[in-house]
């Protein structure tokens, strides 16, 4: 007899107020019948203890199996509080099938000074900081500027992201010692947005987003002689299509379809 994560999460639902959410995604490859589906169930809840806000949750596979221990994918928890004008949060996530390490993310936000700091790390037998970054925002020339320096501790690479927003235009510059990239995003009208990107190595891409109403949209990203990516969001359905391009020829297509069901 086979069991699924629906039954597994039903046990959790009996003891907590949070409602589970089911997402169904099509797996890569060729399969017969329903084997090509990769359903997953996620559940989360929140609580408060003193001045600390707590959030926690679990994601599990919903594929039929007799091995219930293989169903949980990840378990996570987050704690948030205020410290001397800073909103501080710490989030930890553990792979349920490899519990030796935890992925950590620490954020601190000072809204009064328009500054935020973020650290990503892993903890297990050793504590390793993977990356650190900060964001400083300010108003200039009738628009808003954000400066986001970033440093990857593992690769020892640093860059900075500078963005300028005014009215329907967004300019984003990403620069390091080795490469630079600029994206200019223009909202043409209420339903259409175009964003070309140019890189210092000669690469370029163009993104077009078309709103279809009711938060539905179609986004196409063209990278000449590389790929054409389409993302179609239709209510609870999300379809991603990647089509490699060789010259003027499209070399097949990779399709991913996801459906979210809220209980």
């Amino acid at each position: 007899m086979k069991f699924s994560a629906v039954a597994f999460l039903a046990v959790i639902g009996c003891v907590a107020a949070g409602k589970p959410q089911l997402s169904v995604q099509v797996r890569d490859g060729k399969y017969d019948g329903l084997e090509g589906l990769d359903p997953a169930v996620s559940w989360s809840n929140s609580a408060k203890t003193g001045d600390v806000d707590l959030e926690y949750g679990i994601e599990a596979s919903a594929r039929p199996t007799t091995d219930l221990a293989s169903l949980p994918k990840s378990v996570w928890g987050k704690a948030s509080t205020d410290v001397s004008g800073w909103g501080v949060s710490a989030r930890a996530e553990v792979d349920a099938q490899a519990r030796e390490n935890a992925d950590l993310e620490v954020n601190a936000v000072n809204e009064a000074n328009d500054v935020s700091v973020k650290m990503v790390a892993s903890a297990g037998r050793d504590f390793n900081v993977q990356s650190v970054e900060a964001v400083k925002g300010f108003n200039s020339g009738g628009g808003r500027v954000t400066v986001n320096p970033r440093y990857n501790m593992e690769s020892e690479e640093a860059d900075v992201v500078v963005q300028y927003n005014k009215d329907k235009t967004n300019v984003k510059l990403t620069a390091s010692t080795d490469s630079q990239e600029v994206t200019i995003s223009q909202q043409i009208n209420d339903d259409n947005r175009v964003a070309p990107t140019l890189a210092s190595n000669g690469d370029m891409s163009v993104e077009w987003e078309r709103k279809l109403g009711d938060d539905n949209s179609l986004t196409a990203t063209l990278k000449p002689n590389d790929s054409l990516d389409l993302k179609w969001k239709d209510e609870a359905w999300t379809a991603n299509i990647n089509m490699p391009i060789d010259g003027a020829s499209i070399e097949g297509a990779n399709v991913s379809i996801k459906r979210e069901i809220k209980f």
Side-chain angles (χ1 to χ4, degrees):
M1 182 177 179
K2 292 187 176 181
F3 300 90
S4 73
V6 175
F8 176 74
L9 266 295
V11 176
I12 299 178
C14 291
V15 298
K19 294 182 179 180
Q21 179 173 307
L22 174 66
S23 65
V24 181
Q25 186 166 340
V26 177
R27 300 166 62 198
D28 294 334
K30 297 181 179 180
Y31 303 91
D32 294 327
L34 298 178
E35 292 298 318
L37 300 179
D38 185 20
V41 178
S42 59
W43 170 88
S44 63
N45 205 352
S46 61
K48 188 176 182 69
T49 173
D51 295 329
V52 180
D53 294 318
L54 301 175
E55 299 174 63
Y56 46 91
I58 184 172
E59 181 177 352
S61 172
R63 301 186 66 195
T65 180
T66 57
D67 183 10
L68 289 179
S70 69
L71 291 175
K73 291 184 175 182
S74 63
V75 180
W76 61 271
K78 179 181 178 181
S80 306
T81 190
D82 291 325
V83 180
S84 300
W86 288 81
V88 181
S89 67
R91 187 183 190 278
E93 182 170 349
V94 177
D95 186 333
Q97 304 303 318
R99 297 183 292 273
E100 296 83 6
N101 294 294
D103 296 325
L104 305 177
E105 182 178 309
V106 179
N107 287 274
V109 179
N110 188 310
E111 294 184 356
N113 294 306
D114 206 348
V115 177
S116 65
V117 181
K118 175 182 176 182
M119 179 188 73
V120 176
S122 62
R125 294 183 178 180
D126 298 313
F127 181 82
N128 296 310
V129 177
Q130 298 170 338
S131 65
V132 292
E133 64 179 273
V135 179
K136 170 61 180 176
F138 56 91
N139 296 323
S140 176
R144 175 171 169 78
V145 179
T146 59
V147 181
N148 175 204
R150 307 181 297 189
Y151 185 72
N152 189 307
M153 306 288 287
E154 297 179 323
S155 63
E156 298 184 347
E157 294 178 343
D159 67 1
V160 61
V161 180
V162 180
Q163 294 196 66
Y164 177 71
N165 287 279
K166 183 178 181 181
D167 300 328
K168 297 181 179 181
T169 303
N170 172 271
V171 180
K172 178 181 178 182
L173 172 66
T174 303
S176 67
T177 55
D178 299 322
S179 64
Q180 298 80 41
E181 180 182 279
V182 61
T183 299
I184 302 175
S185 178
Q186 180 67 44
Q187 192 74 39
I188 300 174
N189 52 40
D190 292 341
D191 296 327
N192 293 278
R193 180 182 62 85
V194 176
T197 297
L198 298 175
S200 58
N201 64 357
D203 290 346
M204 68 171 295
S205 65
V206 179
E207 179 182 274
W208 168 62
E209 181 184 24
R210 168 73 176 181
K211 294 183 179 179
L212 305 176
D214 298 328
D215 292 327
N216 301 325
S217 63
L218 175 65
T219 304
T221 303
L222 173 63
K223 299 178 181 178
N225 205 35
D226 184 271
S227 64
L228 172 62
D229 295 313
L230 299 175
K231 182 178 181 181
W232 179 24
K233 187 177 184 304
D234 186 4
E235 295 182 349
W237 291 93
T238 301
N240 290 281
I241 305 173
N242 171 262
M243 294 176 283
I245 296 177
D246 184 7
S249 302
I250 295 178
E251 305 292 332
N254 301 308
V255 181
S256 173
I257 302 175
K258 183 178 180 181
R259 161 80 177 182
E260 293 187 351
I261 303 173
K262 295 183 179 181
F263 295 90

